[in-house]
Amino acid sequence: MSGCIFCEIVDGRAPCEKVYEDDLSLAFMDIFPVAPGHTLVIPKRHARDIFEIDAASLAAVSRASQQLAHGIRKALAPDGIMVMQLNGAAAGQTVFHYHT
C-alpha cells in the first residue's frame, strides 16, 4: 500500500531491525520502544486493522507473537509481557497496518 511504512519495510524499501520472518508475517524492533524487547509483529499483506486482516495472516501474526513472547521472556526475564493490538485512531492506533 502506498505511503504505509510497514509495507515499505516488508518490501525492503525502509530499514528495520528484523527479529523474525515467515511467509506471512514479519517482526522487528520498535524504533520508539516503550519497554526493553518492544517488538512489532505485522502481516506481510497490508490490512488496516482487525476488521480487514485475512484469517491466515491473523493466525501467522498470532503464532509469531507467541514465539517472540517466549523469546523475550527467556532473554530478558521480565515480570510480565504485554501483547497489545489497537484498531482505529480512537483506540490509539497510529500506523494503519495491523500489528501487535
Side-chain angles (χ1 to χ4, degrees):
M1 166 160 272
S2 178
C4 174
I5 186 61
F6 289 175
C7 287
E8 291 178 13
I9 289 170
V10 170
D11 292 342
R13 293 180 283 127
C16 75
E17 189 175 336
K18 189 184 305 184
V19 296
Y20 176 85
E21 182 174 17
D22 62 31
D23 290 342
L24 299 175
S25 66
L26 175 67
F28 50 92
M29 301 307 294
D30 193 291
I31 61 170
F32 301 111
V34 297
H38 186 172
T39 308
L40 300 175
V41 185
I42 66 170
K44 288 184 173 180
R45 174 188 267 181
H46 183 84
R48 180 178 174 89
D49 53 30
I50 192 100
F51 304 106
E52 290 187 5
I53 192 170
D54 64 276
S57 294
L58 181 60
V61 168
S62 293
R63 281 190 302 274
S65 296
Q66 185 182 43
Q67 289 177 316
L68 289 163
H70 283 292
I72 290 167
R73 183 171 63 178
K74 183 177 180 180
L76 302 176
D79 291 333
I81 292 178
M82 176 175 49
V83 178
M84 194 164 90
Q85 201 281 308
L86 308 170
N87 296 280
Q93 185 179 10
T94 58
V95 177
F96 294 93
H97 182 121
Y98 183 91
H99 59 286
T100 60

